Amino acid sequence: MGLLSKLFGEAGKEFAQEVKKTVDLAVSEAKKREDYVTNDVAHEVSASGDSWGEEMPAEENQFNYQGSYKAYFSEIYHSEFSDYQITEEDVRNNKATVFTFSKDGRKVLVVEVRSDRSNARKLCDDCRREGVRYIRFYYDHEGWWNTRSYVIRRTRENL
C-alpha cells in the first residue's frame, strides 16, 4: 500500500491513482509535442554539422545565393519537390515565410523560415493539433548557413 492509502484509506488510493493518470497524460502530451517539433535548437545543431560553423561552406547556401532567403527556399522547394503542391505565404509583416507542402489534396508539411529573434509558436502549435509535420529554418542566425543539401535533406526527412 502507498503512503496516501495508508493515511487516508481507499480515498487516498483513488487520489494517488488520479495523480498518476494526470502525470502520465502530461508526459504523453510532452512526448507528442517533442515528436512533432523537430526543429529545436538542439536538433538544429546536432543535425546540421554540414550547414553551420564560423566559415561559409563552399556549397550553395542561403548567404551566397543571388537572391532573398525567400527566393532561395522557393527555388529549392519547387525544383527538388515538384511532386508536391507548394504554397508560399509571407506572415508577420513579411518577417517570415511559410511554405506548405500538400500531396493529393492533403497538407503534409509546413516549413517556416523566420528570424531567430522571433518566438512565435502559434503556427507550430496549430500544426501539432492538426497532426501536420512542422519544421523551421532561421534566415538570420549567425553561422547557420542553410546549405542546399541540408535544406533538402531536412525537408525530405519530414515529408
Side-chain angles (χ1 to χ4, degrees):
M1 277 192 138
L3 177 62
L4 289 174
S5 59
K6 285 181 183 175
L7 291 173
F8 301 106
E10 191 61 31
K13 183 177 179 182
E14 289 174 15
F15 177 74
Q17 289 172 342
E18 288 302 313
V19 168
K20 182 179 182 331
K21 284 181 194 175
T22 302
V23 170
D24 289 346
L25 180 62
V27 169
S28 174
E29 289 300 314
K31 177 66 176 143
K32 285 181 192 174
R33 183 178 185 93
E34 179 181 315
D35 289 344
Y36 279 109
V37 180
T38 61
N39 60 335
D40 290 344
V41 171
H43 175 78
E44 288 277 351
V45 172
S46 66
S48 63
D50 60 303
S51 190
W52 63 273
E54 291 183 25
E55 293 186 30
M56 182 185 296
E59 179 185 354
E60 180 182 57
N61 65 72
Q62 173 194 328
F63 296 95
N64 64 15
Y65 181 78
Q66 298 300 308
S68 67
Y69 79 85
K70 180 181 176 183
Y72 174 71
F73 280 88
S74 183
E75 189 278 320
I76 290 173
Y77 287 154
H78 289 286
S79 66
E80 297 292 328
F81 299 95
S82 60
D83 49 334
Y84 291 88
Q85 296 78 47
I86 303 168
T87 61
E88 303 172 24
E89 179 184 9
D90 292 323
V91 297
R92 291 192 291 288
N93 295 320
N94 295 322
K95 293 183 179 174
T97 302
V98 174
F99 296 89
T100 302
F101 289 70
S102 299
K103 192 157 198 163
D104 301 324
R106 194 176 122 259
K107 187 185 332 181
V108 294
L109 175 66
V110 173
V111 178
E112 183 177 25
V113 185
R114 71 182 208 193
S115 170
D116 75 344
R117 292 181 299 275
S118 172
N119 62 1
R121 302 258 336 147
K122 183 179 181 336
L123 181 62
C124 176
D125 292 341
D126 289 348
C127 288
R128 181 179 45 82
R129 277 191 292 280
E130 293 173 25
V132 174
R133 299 292 295 185
Y134 166 90
I135 59 174
R136 132 183 1 126
F137 293 92
Y138 297 111
Y139 60 73
D140 62 351
H141 188 89
E142 175 103 15
W144 288 9
W145 303 103
N146 291 327
T147 58
R148 185 177 186 91
S149 63
Y150 172 68
V151 171
I152 292 168
R153 181 178 65 250
R154 188 153 171 246
T155 302
R156 188 167 282 133
E157 287 171 355
N158 282 281
L159 282 171

